[in-house]
Amino acid sequence: MAGVARAAPIALLHLGEPGDVEYFDVLIVGAGLSGIGSAYHLQTKCQAKTYTILDGRSAIGGTWDLFRYPGVRSDSDMHTLGYPFRPWRDRKAIADGSSIRKYIAETAQEYGINGKIRFGHQVTLASWSPRDAAWTVDATGPEGKTVQFACNFLCMCSGYYDHAEGYTPDWPGIDRYQGRIVHPQSWPEDLDYEGKRIVVIGSGATAVTLVPPLAKAAAQVTMLQRSPSYIVALPSDDVAADWIRRALPAGFALGVIRWKNVLLGMYFYNLSRRRPDRVKQQILRRVREQLGPDYDVEKHFTPRYNPWDQRLCVAPDADFFVAIRSGKASVVTDEIETFTERGLQLKSGDELQADIIVTATGLKLKCLGGMKITLDGTPIHLAGRASYKGLMLRGVPNLSFTLGYSNASWTLKCNLVAEYVCRLLNHMSAHSYNSATPVGREPVMLDKPAFNLNSGYIRRGIEFLPKDGSSRPWKIHQNYLLDMLDLRFSAVDDGTIEFTRLPNGRLSAISATKLPSDDASWNGTVAEGAP
Ligand SMILES: Cc1cc2nc3c(=O)[nH]c(=O)nc-3n(C[C@H](O)[C@H](O)[C@H](O)COP(=O)(O)OP(=O)(O)OC[C@H]3O[C@@H](n4cnc5c(N)ncnc54)[C@H](O)[C@@H]3O)c2cc1C
């Protein structure tokens, strides 16, 4: 099990004012789904490593603690969104936000990860010192003071969007509006919407999730969209999973259910890419079955893009269509001319009156939690930088980041990333390496970001994302089976990673008593491995 953290004198890290810096072998940033999963793998597979988790929030769960709007839920099945080492046992495959939050918290509790989390620590800067083979990490602590940590390896499990605020377009006349404007990312606990007229602006997963529960209590809910998304009705109970559970022993059944869902998801995604017209027609036929022949499906439910160019929206048990059929919810496809005192003036000339306007207009992309990075004092920029196997950055030592799939459950990739990082750390320990930097030959970069979706938030934030490369190991697969080959089974020392060793042969960059850079015999790092 992990040992005790050590205090290192900051002056020895060449970082300015003397003061205490707590050292851990590994720092994980983020206590969400991926941070807790990474911690589990680390303490299970690299038992000698000390680690801690820093999170800017005051509670566990990341996304599932932050988002509190009515009806918030997963749109992936929990058998693949949950952890493989702690399978989801609930019958409901599509789970509500509080159940997912509870699941993450219980996982942390069960594996003793709770005590490793430092809440209220927002990481702002990571500075790599090659002489120490260590990162110094600055965080804004609970009292607004800067707190410093040092580590040999930094795992960024900080998600992909700005937790502080969501995206709201700059609409004309918005200040004139007399009603209440709410963004789903910061849903007010006290918002009373019973009997109110509500307009939800947006057509993505959040809008599709919000409309049914709002419609139950509100007088009327209108979903106003500029253009439609694909909406697929799915049962929230997985009937095949129930059957498998009855037929097979418990432990085995959960693995079979997980693989069934992985393979079905991959099949449907690949079919959508190869036969987009066929999949499109199938989705639209099912919408027509839900809404009847007189509904204008062409106008309100036929997107301008192909299935899986953007993530599909799921309507569990067809709840979205049920809300429309009830007459309490409706869809308007139009554009906002201006906000007015009472609602929205649309470009068509129509007016929508509303007591509450919900801006389900998406997220603001934020890479590596907005943290700045310097390498030996020089700032580096992420934009356009190649990513190694979708988890490290070219030229950046001892830093991994965890971004899940855009076309499958997030956790599938997170789990592979965590496993790979453990293999890398164990390889480094076994050979007394202090740093690992993806270098290799100059990759050919594609004009494509790390996420292969053309959703609004990706287009808006493209400048912050690493780029996709044309071939291994710079290619981001978005494919679980290919990633399994690359991350679980391929050799760690693949000729692309440059490993270096400090001359004193220590496994850790900084020891309790003496820092490597304090060693008079030190005269630079020893490169091994790649060109
Ligand atoms: C409403 C919603 C629903 C979703 N549903 C699904 C779904 O059904 N299926 C799916 O596959 N994906 C879904 N996603 C994607 C989702 O983000 C992932 O499923 C997953 O929860 C992300 O986990 P994470 O731990 O990687 O990141 P997050 O949940 O974003 O957690 C990151 C954590 O890092 C912390 N952090 C960030 N930056 C810093 C910093 N600089 N310093 C300190 N702490 C920091 C944050 O406070 C946060 O606690 C959904 C996303 C949203 C917003």
Side-chain angles (χ1 to χ4, degrees):
M1 193 50 64
V4 180
R6 301 173 283 261
I10 190 171
L12 295 180
L13 284 164
H14 329 287
L15 291 165
E17 294 302 309
D20 276 348
V21 178
E22 247 183 304
Y23 173 82
F24 295 91
D25 294 327
V26 180
L27 267 183
I28 297 173
V29 178
L33 205 45
S34 64
I36 301 305
S38 296
Y40 165 83
H41 284 286
L42 188 67
Q43 65 181 30
T44 309
K45 299 185 174 79
C46 307
Q47 296 189 3
K49 300 279 179 210
T50 59
Y51 83 92
T52 200
I53 305 176
L54 302 179
D55 197 303
R57 299 179 57 72
S58 56
I60 199 165
T63 296
W64 303 104
D65 180 56
L66 175 67
F67 278 83
R68 301 287 182 129
Y69 60 77
V72 60
R73 56 161 168 83
S74 68
D75 52 14
S76 309
D77 71 279
M78 287 306 297
H79 301 295
T80 54
L81 191 61
Y83 301 115
F85 57 85
R86 191 170 180 270
W88 181 256
R89 289 172 189 278
D90 204 284
R91 277 199 66 228
K92 282 240 173 285
I94 304 276
D96 58 81
S98 63
S99 304
I100 303 175
R101 189 166 62 247
K102 187 163 163 265
Y103 169 76
I104 300 171
E106 285 175 356
T107 305
Q109 172 108 36
E110 187 172 325
Y111 293 103
I113 297 166
N114 273 357
K116 302 279 188 183
I117 309 173
R118 311 269 181 104
F119 290 113
H121 284 79
Q122 184 70 22
V123 172
T124 53
L125 174 68
S127 316
W128 174 255
S129 160
R131 279 155 58 85
D132 299 311
W135 288 101
T136 298
V137 172
D138 289 14
T140 308
E143 277 131 40
K145 287 198 193 119
T146 299
V147 189
Q148 285 191 311
F149 298 85
C151 66
N152 175 248
F153 203 98
L154 187 54
C155 294
M156 295 303 295
C157 297
S158 45
Y160 63 103
Y161 65 88
D162 189 345
H163 281 240
E165 56 174 5
Y167 171 71
T168 306
D170 202 8
W171 286 299
I174 194 161
D175 295 334
R176 283 160 59 194
Y177 178 59
Q178 301 291 309
R180 197 157 175 187
I181 299 176
V182 173
H183 195 286
Q185 191 167 322
S186 35
W187 193 267
E189 242 178 272
D190 65 342
L191 186 70
D192 176 13
Y193 53 88
E194 197 170 336
K196 301 277 180 5
R197 296 163 305 168
I198 305 174
V199 172
V200 178
I201 305 173
S203 61
T206 303
V208 170
T209 304
L210 260 168
V211 167
L214 291 182
K216 283 191 182 142
Q220 178 66 34
V221 181
T222 307
M223 184 170 104
L224 171 65
Q225 57 180 14
R226 205 162 40 178
S227 60
S229 304
Y230 289 103
I231 305 180
V232 181
L234 289 178
S236 60
D237 279 351
D238 185 337
V239 181
D242 287 347
W243 184 85
I244 293 169
R245 252 192 274 255
R246 279 196 303 274
L248 298 175
F252 189 50
L254 292 169
V256 172
I257 294 168
R258 187 177 165 85
W259 268 106
K260 167 187 83 67
N261 292 358
V262 167
L263 295 175
L264 272 177
M266 288 179 74
Y267 168 77
F268 186 67
Y269 175 78
N270 287 323
L271 187 67
S272 303
R273 304 320 283 168
R274 279 188 289 111
R275 310 280 298 274
D277 284 340
R278 188 174 138 198
V279 173
K280 182 175 178 168
Q281 290 319 318
Q282 273 182 14
I283 296 173
L284 298 182
R285 179 176 55 75
R286 289 171 68 176
V287 174
R288 281 192 198 95
E289 281 168 13
Q290 289 289 338
L291 296 177
D294 298 334
Y295 197 94
D296 194 347
V297 170
E298 182 65 30
K299 181 173 181 186
H300 300 303
F301 287 91
T302 310
R304 298 174 194 147
Y305 55 87
N306 282 329
W308 274 113
D309 283 352
Q310 298 185 15
R311 245 182 126 103
L312 303 188
C313 299
V314 170
D317 302 322
D319 61 353
F320 185 82
F321 301 111
V322 171
I324 291 187
R325 290 202 305 265
S326 76
K328 294 278 290 295
S330 60
V331 178
V332 170
T333 307
D334 207 326
E335 282 189 55
I336 298 171
E337 178 79 34
T338 180
F339 275 60
T340 64
E341 285 74 10
R342 289 171 308 179
L344 299 164
Q345 180 68 52
L346 304 180
K347 288 204 170 150
S348 63
D350 291 345
E351 193 191 348
L352 288 177
Q353 296 195 358
D355 307 305
I356 299 170
I357 294 181
V358 180
T359 53
T361 39
L363 308 163
K364 279 189 191 168
L365 212 70
K366 200 175 206 182
C367 255
L368 303 187
M371 177 186 83
K372 293 195 167 45
I373 301 180
T374 67
L375 297 184
D376 205 12
T378 308
I380 66 147
H381 301 285
L382 293 181
R385 195 169 273 264
S387 87
Y388 172 78
K389 298 190 175 193
L391 60 85
M392 289 177 86
L393 293 165
R394 188 166 188 270
V396 181
N398 291 21
L399 182 144
S400 68
F401 62 89
T402 304
L403 283 179
Y405 290 122
S406 52
N407 60 359
S409 275
W410 190 258
T411 323
L412 291 174
K413 174 78 182 277
C414 299
N415 195 57
L416 291 177
V417 170
E419 283 181 16
Y420 175 85
V421 168
C422 291
R423 289 177 66 215
L424 178 65
L425 289 172
N426 286 337
H427 180 84
M428 289 166 70
S429 291
H431 296 85
S432 304
Y433 293 136
N434 297 83
S435 75
T437 314
V439 189
R441 261 183 288 118
E442 187 71 40
V444 177
M445 301 311 295
L446 301 174
D447 196 19
K448 254 172 62 183
F451 278 123
N452 63 345
L453 296 177
N454 71 5
S455 309
Y457 69 94
I458 306 281
R459 278 183 271 120
R460 284 193 302 275
I462 211 156
E463 61 193 293
F464 303 113
L465 283 173
K467 271 195 173 175
D468 197 5
S470 64
S471 58
R472 279 192 169 97
W474 311 106
K475 179 140 196 62
I476 298 169
H477 295 306
Q478 298 290 351
N479 180 306
Y480 184 58
L481 297 181
L482 292 177
D483 275 335
M484 265 178 96
L485 290 177
D486 265 9
L487 301 182
R488 190 174 284 172
F489 300 118
S490 67
V492 169
D493 191 353
D494 63 352
T496 304
I497 296 200
E498 182 182 86
F499 291 100
T500 63
R501 190 184 281 141
L502 294 173
N504 53 23
R506 290 188 194 129
L507 287 184
S508 270
I510 303 168
S511 80
T513 52
K514 199 175 175 194
L515 294 174
S517 57
D518 200 30
D519 188 336
S521 68
W522 188 85
N523 62 354
T525 55
V526 182
E528 301 246 340

